[in-house]
Amino acid sequence: MESILNIRNVSKIYQSAGRELTVLNNINFSIDTGSTVAITGPSGSGKTTLLGLCAGLDRASSGSVELSGVVLDKLTEDERAAVRNQYVGFIFQNFQLLPTLTALENVMVPLELRGAKNIKSHALELLDKVGLADRGHHYPVQLSGGEQQRVSLARAFSNRPALLFADEPTGNLDAETSEKIIKLLFDLNKDAGTTLVIVTHDPDLAARTNRVIKMKGGLIIADENPNYV
Ligand SMILES: Nc1ncnc2c1ncn2[C@@H]1O[C@H](COP(=O)(O)OP(=O)(O)OP(=O)(O)O)[C@@H](O)[C@H]1O
Ligand SMILES: [Mg+2]
């Protein structure tokens, strides 16, 4: 099986008030192309930090990250951004929509960066998929948390990424909307072959993935394939 992500001896250490805080401690794993993976673990265990390093949003203190065959370690910020635009979608824990752009414009950004065609109609289609067809002209502050989360999803889907990272994508949603979002994620995996890496506290969602990686205190403490007997 080919892997789309290779993480080798990755550590992340923050300096704060003259002290070192080891947030990720020598992490190793690979993720198969086209698979679905859940990352679980208590608050503060390093899940969001790990996702950021895997997606090339941030740089490891040591170790190596290889994404779609590209080693990110020595790339400049701009080079990493280019790799992200080409391969990666990201749904942030706090959405990170651009406040000065409408919902529709937020979804259009990655398409514009890619130089895609029919950007507006494609973005409208994506908003429709997440149930927000009539909210395209609204700014993020005019949307509820769950609605912002869904715009963030539509934006992450827009360039049909090879690899989609989702940081608690259903964290703020009611059961029915959660189910819709989860279905969209898994449909993307099935139809476009998108590899999914999902941070979640939801055991039901984790159980639907091919593999569950459990973290605690900056370490991987378990790595399970619940669906593979
Ligand atoms: N920029 C930073 N400087 C210092 N410490 C940081 C920084 N970013 C994160 N941390 C620390 O790293 C640890 C891991 O944070 P992280 O956000 O990865 O946890 P998490 O597993 O995603 O938690 P949650 O489930 O609450 O989202 C925390 O103790 C956090 O305080
Ligand atoms: Mg987090």
Side-chain angles (χ1 to χ4, degrees), residues 14 16 21 23 41-50 93 168 201:
Y14 286 111
S16 65
L21 182 66
V23 172
S43 178
S45 56
K47 306 180 298 296
T48 296
T49 307
L50 179 61
Q93 197 167 10
E168 304 204 25
H201 289 293

Side-chain angles (χ1 to χ4, degrees), residues 66-199:
E66 184 190 323
L67 195 165
S68 268
V70 183
V71 178
L72 303 182
D73 315 335
K74 296 208 167 72
L75 301 188
T76 63
E77 186 67 39
D78 285 351
E79 288 168 336
R80 269 191 286 132
V83 174
R84 286 200 305 273
N85 286 337
Q86 192 175 353
Y87 299 112
V88 176
F90 205 102
I91 300 163
F92 295 90
Q93 197 167 10
N94 53 359
F95 326 136
Q96 297 209 5
L97 299 175
L98 296 165
T100 58
L101 300 184
T102 65
L104 182 65
E105 288 163 351
N106 265 283
V107 177
M108 287 164 68
V109 168
L111 295 165
E112 277 162 355
L113 285 172
R114 276 205 142 188
K117 291 191 182 127
N118 305 320
I119 289 174
K120 194 167 175 187
S121 61
H122 187 194
L124 274 169
E125 217 172 277
L126 287 159
L127 278 180
D128 187 39
K129 270 196 180 171
V130 297
L132 291 175
D134 55 341
R135 307 303 293 273
H137 58 292
H138 285 235
Y139 289 90
V141 290
Q142 299 171 316
L143 300 169
S144 73
E147 287 166 351
Q148 290 181 44
Q149 194 154 25
R150 284 184 277 155
V151 174
S152 160
L153 245 127
R155 179 180 62 179
F157 283 3
S158 64
N159 54 5
R160 290 169 81 85
L163 189 50
L164 181 65
F165 296 95
D167 201 348
E168 304 204 25
T170 57
N172 296 277
L173 304 177
D174 60 90
E176 196 184 325
T177 313
S178 283
E179 187 48 43
K180 260 196 214 158
I181 295 300
I182 291 169
K183 186 167 185 311
L184 284 172
L185 284 170
F186 283 95
D187 281 353
L188 197 70
N189 169 256
K190 216 166 59 202
D191 302 341
T194 295
T195 305
L196 301 179
V197 182
I198 307 170
V199 168

Side-chain angles (χ1 to χ4, degrees), residues 27-48:
I27 300 285
N28 285 282
F29 61 85
S30 295
I31 287 179
D32 291 344
T33 306
S35 65
T36 59
V37 179
I39 299 178
T40 65
S43 178
S45 56
K47 306 180 298 296
T48 296

